[in-house]
Short mmCIF file of all heavy atoms in Angstrom, two decimals:
data_model
loop_
_atom_site.label_atom_id
_atom_site.label_comp_id
_atom_site.label_asym_id
_atom_site.label_seq_id
_atom_site.Cartn_x
_atom_site.Cartn_y
_atom_site.Cartn_z
N MET A 1 99.81 121.21 131.19
CA MET A 1 99.36 122.39 131.90
C MET A 1 98.12 122.00 132.74
O MET A 1 97.21 121.41 132.24
CB MET A 1 98.99 123.48 130.93
CG MET A 1 98.45 124.69 131.58
SD MET A 1 98.03 126.05 130.40
CE MET A 1 99.70 126.34 129.77
N PRO A 2 98.20 122.33 134.03
CA PRO A 2 97.08 121.96 134.88
C PRO A 2 95.78 122.64 134.47
O PRO A 2 95.74 123.83 134.12
CB PRO A 2 97.48 122.49 136.30
CG PRO A 2 98.99 122.72 136.18
CD PRO A 2 99.30 122.94 134.73
N SER A 3 94.71 121.89 134.42
CA SER A 3 93.41 122.44 133.95
C SER A 3 92.86 123.51 134.86
O SER A 3 92.12 124.37 134.41
CB SER A 3 92.41 121.30 133.79
OG SER A 3 92.20 120.66 135.00
N PHE A 4 93.18 123.50 136.13
CA PHE A 4 92.65 124.47 137.08
C PHE A 4 93.26 125.85 136.84
O PHE A 4 92.73 126.86 137.31
CB PHE A 4 92.81 124.06 138.53
CG PHE A 4 94.22 123.88 138.97
CD1 PHE A 4 94.97 124.94 139.48
CD2 PHE A 4 94.87 122.66 138.90
CE1 PHE A 4 96.24 124.81 139.88
CE2 PHE A 4 96.20 122.53 139.30
CZ PHE A 4 96.87 123.57 139.81
N VAL A 5 94.38 125.94 136.15
CA VAL A 5 95.05 127.20 135.93
C VAL A 5 94.52 127.86 134.68
O VAL A 5 94.43 129.07 134.55
CB VAL A 5 96.58 127.00 135.79
CG1 VAL A 5 97.25 128.35 135.57
CG2 VAL A 5 97.10 126.44 137.11
N ARG A 6 94.11 127.07 133.71
CA ARG A 6 93.65 127.60 132.40
C ARG A 6 92.53 128.65 132.50
O ARG A 6 92.58 129.61 131.78
CB ARG A 6 93.20 126.48 131.50
CG ARG A 6 94.26 125.48 131.16
CD ARG A 6 95.40 126.12 130.35
NE ARG A 6 94.93 126.62 129.08
CZ ARG A 6 95.66 127.31 128.27
NH1 ARG A 6 96.87 127.61 128.57
NH2 ARG A 6 95.15 127.76 127.14
N PRO A 7 91.55 128.46 133.37
CA PRO A 7 90.47 129.48 133.46
C PRO A 7 91.01 130.90 133.71
O PRO A 7 90.50 131.87 133.18
CB PRO A 7 89.59 128.97 134.52
CG PRO A 7 89.77 127.54 134.55
CD PRO A 7 91.26 127.35 134.26
N MET A 8 92.01 131.02 134.53
CA MET A 8 92.55 132.34 134.84
C MET A 8 93.25 132.95 133.59
O MET A 8 93.10 134.14 133.33
CB MET A 8 93.57 132.27 135.99
CG MET A 8 94.10 133.57 136.43
SD MET A 8 92.73 134.59 137.06
CE MET A 8 93.55 136.14 137.34
N PHE A 9 93.92 132.11 132.84
CA PHE A 9 94.56 132.61 131.61
C PHE A 9 93.52 133.10 130.62
O PHE A 9 93.58 134.15 130.05
CB PHE A 9 95.44 131.52 131.04
CG PHE A 9 96.07 131.92 129.70
CD1 PHE A 9 97.09 132.87 129.72
CD2 PHE A 9 95.63 131.39 128.50
CE1 PHE A 9 97.69 133.31 128.52
CE2 PHE A 9 96.27 131.81 127.33
CZ PHE A 9 97.28 132.73 127.32
N HIS A 10 92.47 132.29 130.43
CA HIS A 10 91.36 132.65 129.51
C HIS A 10 90.60 133.88 129.97
O HIS A 10 90.25 134.73 129.20
CB HIS A 10 90.39 131.49 129.27
CG HIS A 10 91.03 130.38 128.49
ND1 HIS A 10 91.46 130.52 127.21
CD2 HIS A 10 91.31 129.15 128.82
CE1 HIS A 10 92.02 129.44 126.74
NE2 HIS A 10 91.91 128.53 127.72
N TYR A 11 90.40 133.98 131.29
CA TYR A 11 89.76 135.13 131.84
C TYR A 11 90.58 136.40 131.57
O TYR A 11 90.05 137.44 131.23
CB TYR A 11 89.55 134.93 133.34
CG TYR A 11 89.02 136.22 134.02
CD1 TYR A 11 87.72 136.65 133.94
CD2 TYR A 11 89.90 136.96 134.85
CE1 TYR A 11 87.29 137.77 134.56
CE2 TYR A 11 89.45 138.15 135.48
CZ TYR A 11 88.13 138.52 135.29
OH TYR A 11 87.66 139.64 135.95
N THR A 12 91.92 136.30 131.76
CA THR A 12 92.81 137.39 131.56
C THR A 12 92.73 137.89 130.12
O THR A 12 92.62 139.10 129.86
CB THR A 12 94.25 136.98 131.86
OG1 THR A 12 94.35 136.71 133.29
CG2 THR A 12 95.26 138.11 131.55
N LYS A 13 92.76 136.99 129.15
CA LYS A 13 92.65 137.33 127.72
C LYS A 13 91.31 138.05 127.48
O LYS A 13 91.25 139.06 126.76
CB LYS A 13 92.77 136.10 126.84
CG LYS A 13 94.20 135.58 126.77
CD LYS A 13 94.40 134.61 125.62
CE LYS A 13 93.31 133.65 125.31
NZ LYS A 13 93.62 132.63 124.32
N SER A 14 90.28 137.55 128.06
CA SER A 14 88.96 138.10 127.84
C SER A 14 88.90 139.55 128.39
O SER A 14 88.40 140.42 127.72
CB SER A 14 87.90 137.27 128.59
OG SER A 14 86.64 137.88 128.60
N VAL A 15 89.47 139.80 129.55
CA VAL A 15 89.46 141.12 130.17
C VAL A 15 90.27 142.04 129.26
O VAL A 15 89.85 143.18 128.97
CB VAL A 15 90.03 141.09 131.62
CG1 VAL A 15 90.32 142.51 132.09
CG2 VAL A 15 89.11 140.39 132.56
N LEU A 16 91.45 141.60 128.81
CA LEU A 16 92.29 142.47 128.03
C LEU A 16 91.63 142.82 126.67
O LEU A 16 91.70 143.93 126.20
CB LEU A 16 93.65 141.78 127.76
CG LEU A 16 94.55 141.72 129.00
CD1 LEU A 16 95.81 140.87 128.71
CD2 LEU A 16 94.92 143.10 129.51
N GLU A 17 90.94 141.83 126.07
CA GLU A 17 90.15 142.14 124.88
C GLU A 17 89.13 143.19 125.11
O GLU A 17 88.94 144.15 124.35
CB GLU A 17 89.52 140.90 124.31
CG GLU A 17 90.51 139.91 123.67
CD GLU A 17 89.89 138.58 123.31
OE1 GLU A 17 88.74 138.32 123.73
OE2 GLU A 17 90.59 137.88 122.54
N LYS A 18 88.39 143.12 126.24
CA LYS A 18 87.32 144.03 126.50
C LYS A 18 87.77 145.45 126.81
O LYS A 18 87.02 146.36 126.54
CB LYS A 18 86.52 143.47 127.65
CG LYS A 18 85.65 142.31 127.33
CD LYS A 18 84.90 141.75 128.50
CE LYS A 18 84.18 140.46 128.14
NZ LYS A 18 83.61 139.75 129.25
N VAL A 19 88.98 145.60 127.39
CA VAL A 19 89.44 146.92 127.77
C VAL A 19 90.42 147.49 126.74
O VAL A 19 90.97 148.57 126.93
CB VAL A 19 90.09 146.97 129.16
CG1 VAL A 19 89.13 146.52 130.22
CG2 VAL A 19 91.34 146.12 129.21
N SER A 20 90.60 146.81 125.63
CA SER A 20 91.64 147.26 124.64
C SER A 20 91.26 148.57 123.98
O SER A 20 92.12 149.16 123.30
CB SER A 20 91.79 146.16 123.61
OG SER A 20 90.63 145.94 122.88
N PHE A 21 90.03 149.03 124.17
CA PHE A 21 89.66 150.38 123.58
C PHE A 21 90.28 151.50 124.31
O PHE A 21 90.41 152.63 123.85
CB PHE A 21 88.15 150.51 123.63
CG PHE A 21 87.59 150.61 125.04
CD1 PHE A 21 87.41 151.90 125.60
CD2 PHE A 21 87.28 149.51 125.77
CE1 PHE A 21 86.93 152.02 126.91
CE2 PHE A 21 86.79 149.61 127.05
CZ PHE A 21 86.62 150.90 127.61
N ASP A 22 90.80 151.24 125.57
CA ASP A 22 91.38 152.28 126.38
C ASP A 22 92.82 151.92 126.80
O ASP A 22 93.02 150.95 127.54
CB ASP A 22 90.54 152.44 127.68
CG ASP A 22 91.02 153.50 128.65
OD1 ASP A 22 92.26 153.65 128.82
OD2 ASP A 22 90.15 154.20 129.16
N VAL A 23 93.80 152.64 126.28
CA VAL A 23 95.21 152.23 126.46
C VAL A 23 95.58 152.22 127.96
O VAL A 23 96.25 151.26 128.38
CB VAL A 23 96.08 153.24 125.71
CG1 VAL A 23 97.58 153.00 126.01
CG2 VAL A 23 95.81 153.18 124.24
N GLN A 24 95.16 153.12 128.72
CA GLN A 24 95.53 153.20 130.16
C GLN A 24 94.86 152.03 130.94
O GLN A 24 95.52 151.43 131.78
CB GLN A 24 95.21 154.53 130.82
CG GLN A 24 96.06 155.67 130.28
CD GLN A 24 97.50 155.39 130.38
OE1 GLN A 24 98.03 154.90 131.44
NE2 GLN A 24 98.30 155.67 129.33
N LEU A 25 93.66 151.74 130.65
CA LEU A 25 92.95 150.64 131.30
C LEU A 25 93.59 149.32 130.89
O LEU A 25 93.78 148.43 131.75
CB LEU A 25 91.48 150.66 130.93
CG LEU A 25 90.54 149.76 131.68
CD1 LEU A 25 90.65 149.95 133.19
CD2 LEU A 25 89.11 150.02 131.25
N PHE A 26 93.96 149.19 129.62
CA PHE A 26 94.60 147.99 129.14
C PHE A 26 95.94 147.79 129.93
O PHE A 26 96.24 146.70 130.36
CB PHE A 26 94.96 148.12 127.63
CG PHE A 26 95.49 146.89 127.03
CD1 PHE A 26 94.67 145.87 126.62
CD2 PHE A 26 96.88 146.74 126.92
CE1 PHE A 26 95.25 144.70 126.03
CE2 PHE A 26 97.44 145.60 126.35
CZ PHE A 26 96.60 144.60 125.94
N LYS A 27 96.69 148.82 130.03
CA LYS A 27 97.97 148.77 130.81
C LYS A 27 97.75 148.30 132.24
O LYS A 27 98.48 147.47 132.74
CB LYS A 27 98.68 150.11 130.75
CG LYS A 27 100.04 150.14 131.44
CD LYS A 27 100.64 151.52 131.33
CE LYS A 27 101.98 151.60 132.08
NZ LYS A 27 102.54 152.94 132.02
N LYS A 28 96.76 148.87 132.86
CA LYS A 28 96.43 148.58 134.29
C LYS A 28 96.04 147.08 134.39
O LYS A 28 96.55 146.39 135.29
CB LYS A 28 95.28 149.46 134.75
CG LYS A 28 94.80 149.14 136.18
CD LYS A 28 93.65 150.01 136.49
CE LYS A 28 92.99 149.62 137.82
NZ LYS A 28 91.80 150.36 138.12
N GLU A 29 95.18 146.57 133.50
CA GLU A 29 94.76 145.21 133.54
C GLU A 29 95.90 144.19 133.21
O GLU A 29 95.99 143.20 133.79
CB GLU A 29 93.56 144.97 132.62
CG GLU A 29 92.27 145.65 133.10
CD GLU A 29 91.82 145.14 134.48
OE1 GLU A 29 92.03 143.98 134.79
OE2 GLU A 29 91.21 145.95 135.19
N LEU A 30 96.77 144.66 132.32
CA LEU A 30 97.88 143.80 131.98
C LEU A 30 98.85 143.66 133.18
O LEU A 30 99.34 142.57 133.44
CB LEU A 30 98.67 144.36 130.76
CG LEU A 30 99.90 143.61 130.31
CD1 LEU A 30 99.53 142.18 129.98
CD2 LEU A 30 100.55 144.29 129.11
N LYS A 31 99.05 144.78 133.85
CA LYS A 31 99.93 144.74 135.06
C LYS A 31 99.30 143.82 136.09
O LYS A 31 100.02 143.04 136.75
CB LYS A 31 100.12 146.08 135.64
CG LYS A 31 101.10 146.98 134.82
CD LYS A 31 101.33 148.31 135.49
CE LYS A 31 102.40 149.06 134.77
NZ LYS A 31 102.70 150.32 135.41
N LYS A 32 98.01 143.85 136.31
CA LYS A 32 97.37 142.90 137.30
C LYS A 32 97.56 141.48 136.81
O LYS A 32 97.84 140.59 137.62
CB LYS A 32 95.88 143.25 137.35
CG LYS A 32 95.64 144.49 138.18
CD LYS A 32 94.24 144.94 138.43
CE LYS A 32 93.07 144.16 138.00
NZ LYS A 32 91.78 144.79 138.18
N ALA A 33 97.43 141.23 135.51
CA ALA A 33 97.57 139.87 134.99
C ALA A 33 98.96 139.37 135.20
O ALA A 33 99.20 138.22 135.60
CB ALA A 33 97.23 139.84 133.51
N ILE A 34 99.95 140.24 135.04
CA ILE A 34 101.34 139.82 135.22
C ILE A 34 101.57 139.33 136.67
O ILE A 34 102.39 138.40 136.87
CB ILE A 34 102.30 140.97 134.81
CG1 ILE A 34 102.29 141.15 133.27
CG2 ILE A 34 103.70 140.71 135.29
CD1 ILE A 34 102.88 142.41 132.80
N GLN A 35 100.89 140.02 137.57
CA GLN A 35 101.10 139.65 138.96
C GLN A 35 100.43 138.29 139.33
O GLN A 35 100.84 137.61 140.27
CB GLN A 35 100.49 140.68 139.84
CG GLN A 35 101.20 142.05 139.78
CD GLN A 35 102.66 141.94 140.17
OE1 GLN A 35 103.03 141.36 141.17
NE2 GLN A 35 103.52 142.52 139.37
N SER A 36 99.36 137.95 138.58
CA SER A 36 98.60 136.71 138.96
C SER A 36 98.88 135.45 138.13
O SER A 36 98.51 134.39 138.54
CB SER A 36 97.16 137.06 138.91
OG SER A 36 96.74 137.37 137.62
N LEU A 37 99.49 135.63 136.92
CA LEU A 37 99.70 134.45 136.11
C LEU A 37 101.08 133.75 136.44
O LEU A 37 102.01 134.40 136.89
CB LEU A 37 99.67 134.82 134.65
CG LEU A 37 98.32 135.31 134.11
CD1 LEU A 37 98.46 135.74 132.66
CD2 LEU A 37 97.24 134.25 134.21
N LEU A 38 101.11 132.50 136.10
CA LEU A 38 102.39 131.72 136.30
C LEU A 38 103.27 131.96 135.15
O LEU A 38 102.89 132.37 134.08
CB LEU A 38 102.01 130.23 136.40
CG LEU A 38 101.09 129.84 137.57
CD1 LEU A 38 100.66 128.40 137.47
CD2 LEU A 38 101.82 130.08 138.90
N PRO A 39 104.59 131.67 135.32
CA PRO A 39 105.59 131.94 134.30
C PRO A 39 105.25 131.42 132.90
O PRO A 39 105.38 132.13 131.92
CB PRO A 39 106.84 131.37 134.85
CG PRO A 39 106.68 131.41 136.38
CD PRO A 39 105.21 131.18 136.55
N TYR A 40 104.77 130.17 132.85
CA TYR A 40 104.47 129.59 131.54
C TYR A 40 103.21 130.24 130.94
O TYR A 40 103.08 130.39 129.72
CB TYR A 40 104.35 128.08 131.57
CG TYR A 40 103.26 127.54 132.42
CD1 TYR A 40 101.97 127.38 131.94
CD2 TYR A 40 103.51 127.15 133.77
CE1 TYR A 40 100.97 126.81 132.70
CE2 TYR A 40 102.52 126.66 134.58
CZ TYR A 40 101.26 126.49 134.01
OH TYR A 40 100.25 126.00 134.82
N GLU A 41 102.32 130.73 131.75
CA GLU A 41 101.15 131.44 131.30
C GLU A 41 101.58 132.85 130.76
O GLU A 41 101.00 133.32 129.82
CB GLU A 41 100.14 131.66 132.41
CG GLU A 41 99.46 130.29 132.79
CD GLU A 41 98.52 130.48 133.97
OE1 GLU A 41 98.90 131.04 134.95
OE2 GLU A 41 97.37 129.99 133.83
N LEU A 42 102.56 133.41 131.43
CA LEU A 42 103.04 134.71 130.94
C LEU A 42 103.64 134.61 129.56
O LEU A 42 103.45 135.48 128.72
CB LEU A 42 104.05 135.28 131.90
CG LEU A 42 103.53 135.78 133.25
CD1 LEU A 42 104.69 136.21 134.15
CD2 LEU A 42 102.58 136.95 133.01
N GLU A 43 104.29 133.52 129.26
CA GLU A 43 104.85 133.29 127.93
C GLU A 43 103.77 133.12 126.91
O GLU A 43 103.80 133.65 125.81
CB GLU A 43 105.82 132.10 127.93
CG GLU A 43 106.48 131.85 126.64
CD GLU A 43 107.29 133.07 126.13
OE1 GLU A 43 107.88 133.75 126.94
OE2 GLU A 43 107.33 133.30 124.90
N GLU A 44 102.70 132.40 127.27
CA GLU A 44 101.57 132.27 126.42
C GLU A 44 100.90 133.62 126.20
O GLU A 44 100.44 133.97 125.07
CB GLU A 44 100.51 131.33 127.00
CG GLU A 44 100.84 129.87 126.82
CD GLU A 44 99.65 129.00 127.28
OE1 GLU A 44 98.53 129.21 126.67
OE2 GLU A 44 99.85 128.12 128.11
N LEU A 45 100.79 134.43 127.30
CA LEU A 45 100.24 135.75 127.15
C LEU A 45 101.01 136.62 126.21
O LEU A 45 100.46 137.40 125.40
CB LEU A 45 100.11 136.36 128.51
CG LEU A 45 99.39 137.75 128.58
CD1 LEU A 45 97.96 137.67 128.12
CD2 LEU A 45 99.49 138.30 129.98
N ARG A 46 102.34 136.53 126.31
CA ARG A 46 103.18 137.30 125.40
C ARG A 46 102.93 136.96 123.90
O ARG A 46 102.75 137.83 123.08
CB ARG A 46 104.66 137.09 125.74
CG ARG A 46 105.63 137.89 124.81
CD ARG A 46 107.06 137.38 124.88
NE ARG A 46 107.52 137.16 126.23
CZ ARG A 46 108.03 138.15 127.02
NH1 ARG A 46 108.05 139.40 126.61
NH2 ARG A 46 108.46 137.83 128.24
N LYS A 47 102.85 135.66 123.66
CA LYS A 47 102.59 135.21 122.27
C LYS A 47 101.21 135.71 121.84
O LYS A 47 101.06 136.19 120.70
CB LYS A 47 102.66 133.70 122.21
CG LYS A 47 104.04 133.13 122.39
CD LYS A 47 104.01 131.60 122.43
CE LYS A 47 105.33 131.00 122.76
NZ LYS A 47 105.27 129.57 122.97
N TRP A 48 100.25 135.59 122.69
CA TRP A 48 98.89 136.07 122.31
C TRP A 48 98.88 137.56 122.09
O TRP A 48 98.26 138.02 121.10
CB TRP A 48 97.93 135.66 123.45
CG TRP A 48 96.54 136.20 123.18
CD1 TRP A 48 95.59 135.69 122.35
CD2 TRP A 48 95.97 137.35 123.71
NE1 TRP A 48 94.46 136.41 122.33
CE2 TRP A 48 94.63 137.49 123.20
CE3 TRP A 48 96.41 138.33 124.62
CZ2 TRP A 48 93.83 138.57 123.54
CZ3 TRP A 48 95.58 139.40 124.96
CH2 TRP A 48 94.28 139.49 124.41
N LEU A 49 99.56 138.31 122.97
CA LEU A 49 99.55 139.77 122.82
C LEU A 49 100.26 140.24 121.46
O LEU A 49 99.82 141.16 120.86
CB LEU A 49 100.29 140.41 123.97
CG LEU A 49 99.47 140.76 125.21
CD1 LEU A 49 100.29 141.35 126.30
CD2 LEU A 49 98.35 141.73 124.85
N LEU A 50 101.32 139.52 121.16
CA LEU A 50 101.99 139.89 119.90
C LEU A 50 101.04 139.79 118.69
O LEU A 50 101.03 140.65 117.81
CB LEU A 50 103.23 139.03 119.68
CG LEU A 50 104.42 139.35 120.56
CD1 LEU A 50 105.51 138.31 120.46
CD2 LEU A 50 104.95 140.76 120.25
N GLN A 51 100.23 138.76 118.71
CA GLN A 51 99.29 138.61 117.63
C GLN A 51 98.12 139.59 117.77
O GLN A 51 97.69 140.24 116.83
CB GLN A 51 98.75 137.14 117.61
CG GLN A 51 97.78 136.94 116.49
CD GLN A 51 97.47 135.48 116.26
OE1 GLN A 51 97.93 134.61 117.03
NE2 GLN A 51 96.64 135.17 115.26
N PHE A 52 97.61 139.74 118.99
CA PHE A 52 96.46 140.56 119.27
C PHE A 52 96.76 142.04 118.91
O PHE A 52 95.91 142.77 118.38
CB PHE A 52 96.05 140.51 120.75
CG PHE A 52 94.87 141.35 121.11
CD1 PHE A 52 93.56 140.97 120.68
CD2 PHE A 52 95.02 142.42 121.92
CE1 PHE A 52 92.49 141.73 121.03
CE2 PHE A 52 93.92 143.24 122.29
CZ PHE A 52 92.64 142.87 121.81
N THR A 53 97.99 142.48 119.16
CA THR A 53 98.32 143.87 118.96
C THR A 53 98.69 144.22 117.53
O THR A 53 98.97 145.38 117.21
CB THR A 53 99.45 144.34 119.90
OG1 THR A 53 100.59 143.51 119.69
CG2 THR A 53 99.04 144.29 121.36
N THR A 54 98.73 143.24 116.58
CA THR A 54 99.00 143.59 115.22
C THR A 54 97.96 144.55 114.69
O THR A 54 98.26 145.36 113.81
CB THR A 54 99.12 142.31 114.34
OG1 THR A 54 97.91 141.58 114.46
CG2 THR A 54 100.28 141.45 114.76
N GLU A 55 96.71 144.39 115.17
CA GLU A 55 95.65 145.29 114.68
C GLU A 55 95.42 146.46 115.64
O GLU A 55 94.58 147.31 115.38
CB GLU A 55 94.34 144.51 114.48
CG GLU A 55 94.45 143.50 113.40
CD GLU A 55 93.20 142.68 113.22
OE1 GLU A 55 92.11 143.11 113.70
OE2 GLU A 55 93.20 141.66 112.55
N LYS A 56 96.20 146.51 116.70
CA LYS A 56 96.06 147.57 117.68
C LYS A 56 97.47 148.02 118.07
O LYS A 56 97.96 147.81 119.16
CB LYS A 56 95.35 147.10 118.90
CG LYS A 56 93.90 146.71 118.69
CD LYS A 56 93.20 146.24 119.95
CE LYS A 56 91.81 145.88 119.67
NZ LYS A 56 90.90 146.96 119.28
N PRO A 57 98.17 148.72 117.14
CA PRO A 57 99.56 149.06 117.35
C PRO A 57 99.80 149.93 118.58
O PRO A 57 100.89 149.94 119.16
CB PRO A 57 99.98 149.78 116.05
CG PRO A 57 98.69 150.10 115.38
CD PRO A 57 97.65 149.17 115.83
N GLU A 58 98.77 150.68 119.00
CA GLU A 58 98.91 151.53 120.17
C GLU A 58 99.18 150.71 121.45
O GLU A 58 99.63 151.22 122.42
CB GLU A 58 97.72 152.45 120.33
CG GLU A 58 96.39 151.77 120.72
CD GLU A 58 95.62 151.15 119.56
OE1 GLU A 58 96.18 151.05 118.40
OE2 GLU A 58 94.47 150.79 119.79
N LEU A 59 98.82 149.40 121.41
CA LEU A 59 98.96 148.54 122.59
C LEU A 59 100.25 147.71 122.54
O LEU A 59 100.70 147.15 123.53
CB LEU A 59 97.76 147.58 122.66
CG LEU A 59 96.38 148.23 122.80
CD1 LEU A 59 95.33 147.13 122.81
CD2 LEU A 59 96.27 149.08 124.00
N LYS A 60 100.93 147.71 121.35
CA LYS A 60 102.09 146.84 121.21
C LYS A 60 103.20 147.19 122.22
O LYS A 60 103.88 146.28 122.69
CB LYS A 60 102.64 147.02 119.80
CG LYS A 60 103.65 145.94 119.42
CD LYS A 60 104.00 145.83 117.98
CE LYS A 60 103.16 145.04 117.11
NZ LYS A 60 102.96 143.69 117.41
N PRO A 61 103.48 148.44 122.64
CA PRO A 61 104.53 148.66 123.59
C PRO A 61 104.38 147.96 124.92
O PRO A 61 105.33 147.70 125.62
CB PRO A 61 104.46 150.21 123.78
CG PRO A 61 103.82 150.72 122.58
CD PRO A 61 102.85 149.68 122.13
N PHE A 62 103.16 147.63 125.32
CA PHE A 62 102.85 146.97 126.56
C PHE A 62 103.33 145.53 126.59
O PHE A 62 103.46 144.93 127.64
CB PHE A 62 101.38 147.11 126.99
CG PHE A 62 101.00 148.52 127.13
CD1 PHE A 62 99.92 149.06 126.36
CD2 PHE A 62 101.65 149.42 127.91
CE1 PHE A 62 99.49 150.36 126.45
CE2 PHE A 62 101.27 150.72 128.00
CZ PHE A 62 100.21 151.23 127.30
N VAL A 63 103.63 144.93 125.46
CA VAL A 63 104.13 143.58 125.42
C VAL A 63 105.43 143.52 126.21
O VAL A 63 105.71 142.54 126.85
CB VAL A 63 104.34 143.07 123.99
CG1 VAL A 63 104.99 141.72 123.94
CG2 VAL A 63 102.97 143.08 123.24
N ALA A 64 106.15 144.61 126.20
CA ALA A 64 107.46 144.67 126.87
C ALA A 64 107.33 144.67 128.41
O ALA A 64 108.28 144.39 129.09
CB ALA A 64 108.22 145.91 126.45
N LEU A 65 106.09 144.85 128.89
CA LEU A 65 105.90 144.76 130.35
C LEU A 65 105.97 143.33 130.88
O LEU A 65 106.23 143.13 132.06
CB LEU A 65 104.50 145.39 130.74
CG LEU A 65 104.37 146.91 130.49
CD1 LEU A 65 102.89 147.27 130.83
CD2 LEU A 65 105.37 147.67 131.36
N ILE A 66 105.74 142.40 130.03
CA ILE A 66 105.79 140.97 130.43
C ILE A 66 107.21 140.53 130.66
O ILE A 66 107.99 140.58 129.81
CB ILE A 66 105.02 140.07 129.43
CG1 ILE A 66 103.59 140.59 129.22
CG2 ILE A 66 105.07 138.60 129.91
CD1 ILE A 66 102.87 139.80 128.14
N PRO A 67 107.50 140.06 131.88
CA PRO A 67 108.90 139.63 132.21
C PRO A 67 109.36 138.46 131.46
O PRO A 67 108.59 137.64 130.99
CB PRO A 67 108.85 139.37 133.70
CG PRO A 67 107.40 139.27 134.08
CD PRO A 67 106.61 139.88 133.01
#
């Protein structure tokens, strides 16, 4: 994985963690992330979200937004 791409992926995770208190804001930020990440990053994001949402079940439906 190219090192110049990783910062965007880590930034995306950071943003999603920070807005996870608000379901609508989380959905909005996730949609933005889907538009900006590369396909292999989206797969990583899906894996991360599945784990992250185990303690936040209200966010779990949004995993399905990732293509």
Side-chain angles (χ1 to χ4, degrees):
M1 177 177 298
S3 61
F4 62 88
V5 178
R6 298 296 298 172
M8 186 60 187
F9 178 71
H10 290 298
Y11 172 75
T12 297
K13 286 193 325 184
S14 172
V15 169
L16 290 173
E17 287 173 347
K18 288 176 184 171
V19 299
S20 64
F21 68 92
D22 182 320
V23 174
Q24 292 305 315
L25 191 53
F26 185 87
K27 181 179 177 182
K28 177 182 171 186
E29 291 299 329
L30 180 58
K31 285 182 173 185
K32 285 181 5 186
I34 290 168
Q35 297 299 314
S36 63
L37 294 176
L38 298 173
Y40 61 88
E41 291 175 311
L42 289 175
E43 185 55 36
E44 280 190 55
L45 184 63
R46 178 193 316 277
K47 291 175 187 174
W48 175 80
L49 271 178
L50 285 171
Q51 183 169 1
F52 181 71
T53 58
T54 57
E55 295 180 14
K56 296 181 180 292
E58 69 277 11
L59 302 177
K60 196 170 270 305
F62 300 124
V63 174
L65 293 175
I66 301 175

